[in-house]
Amino acid sequence: MISKLPQMNFYGEEGGLLENMYHLQHDIESHAKNVGDFSWQGVDDMNVHTVACMTQKLFAERHGVKCLHRGCRHGWKEIRYGSPAVMEWIRTIFPSSKIILNYRRSCSNYTDNFGRNCTVLQEMKDYFLNATKDLENVFHMELEHLSNVKKWNQLAKFIGYDDCEALNTTTANMHGS
């Protein structure tokens, strides 16, 4: 439904690319701290700003620029963030970013695509909910609320669509899951 909002360009998963960029930045910072800068190689020093610019440019080029005016929004779905620190880092790279953290209320008898069982998934959910509860750029949404009109309207306002309001939602999944 997000991709149906006016002036919204919303894309599929990124395969954990942002998390890889996060680790690249920390590897560079660790190298600079332990070994020194890159000047001995005859190149300019890489720093936080270098990785930030590379990340912004990479995502702009991957998604193309379909909408350049100020009211346009860009977003993507990603399920591979390993820590709340990555989410906070995203905020430094994309200062206006909004993160929608969706999760299952209950995972009884459920195994995800990565083979993690319910106990592991519940621990991860609890960890992320607790770690992100005070982040102003994170919206928590249970998957069970995907057809809840009130929740969708709250989400629309959270991502800056104050003048949009859903009247109804529908579910197209098999067996209502």
Side-chain angles (χ1 to χ4, degrees):
M1 285 180 59
I2 292 173
S3 61
K4 300 301 179 192
L5 290 167
Q7 302 174 358
M8 170 57 86
N9 293 303
F10 197 78
Y11 311 96
E13 296 180 19
E14 290 294 331
L17 186 59
L18 273 178
E19 185 153 359
N20 292 335
M21 297 301 285
Y22 168 81
H23 290 295
L24 173 64
Q25 175 179 320
H26 287 279
D27 289 348
I28 290 169
E29 289 172 345
S30 176
H31 183 272
K33 180 180 172 185
N34 296 323
V35 179
D37 64 24
F38 292 86
S39 59
W40 61 272
Q41 296 175 338
V43 296
D44 290 334
D45 190 24
M46 289 185 70
N47 58 43
V48 174
H49 301 293
T50 306
V51 176
C53 290
M54 287 170 40
T55 304
Q56 290 171 346
K57 186 174 186 319
L58 177 65
F59 274 80
E61 288 179 1
R62 283 181 56 84
H63 297 300
V65 182
K66 294 181 180 178
C67 183
L68 292 174
H69 56 82
R70 195 161 170 74
C72 191
R73 293 167 180 89
H74 299 272
W76 61 89
K77 173 189 176 200
E78 180 57 71
I79 61 171
R80 293 169 185 85
Y81 299 134
S83 73
V86 174
M87 290 187 221
E88 190 59 35
W89 179 78
I90 291 169
R91 190 170 163 186
T92 64
I93 302 301
F94 302 102
S96 299
S97 65
K98 303 286 184 176
I99 295 173
I100 303 161
L101 182 62
N102 58 7
Y103 55 93
R104 291 186 188 278
R105 181 180 315 137
S106 171
C107 63
S108 59
N109 300 320
Y110 177 77
T111 301
D112 71 1
N113 293 339
F114 301 104
R116 297 175 290 207
N117 66 28
C118 185
T119 303
V120 172
L121 294 172
Q122 186 66 41
E123 289 171 0
M124 289 174 63
K125 177 186 89 170
D126 292 345
Y127 172 74
F128 271 95
L129 289 175
N130 187 50
T132 61
K133 70 180 182 230
D134 296 325
L135 296 179
E136 63 188 41
N137 70 323
V138 177
F139 184 86
H140 299 108
M141 186 167 188
E142 293 177 350
L143 291 173
E144 292 83 358
H145 284 159
L146 289 179
S147 59
N148 181 308
V149 172
K150 182 179 177 185
K151 195 68 169 180
W152 275 107
N153 289 334
Q154 291 171 349
L155 174 59
K157 287 183 182 10
F158 171 74
I159 60 176
Y161 286 93
D162 296 327
D163 56 347
C164 287
E165 188 171 303
L167 302 176
N168 200 354
T169 62
T170 184
T171 304
N173 293 352
M174 295 175 61
H175 313 295
S177 63

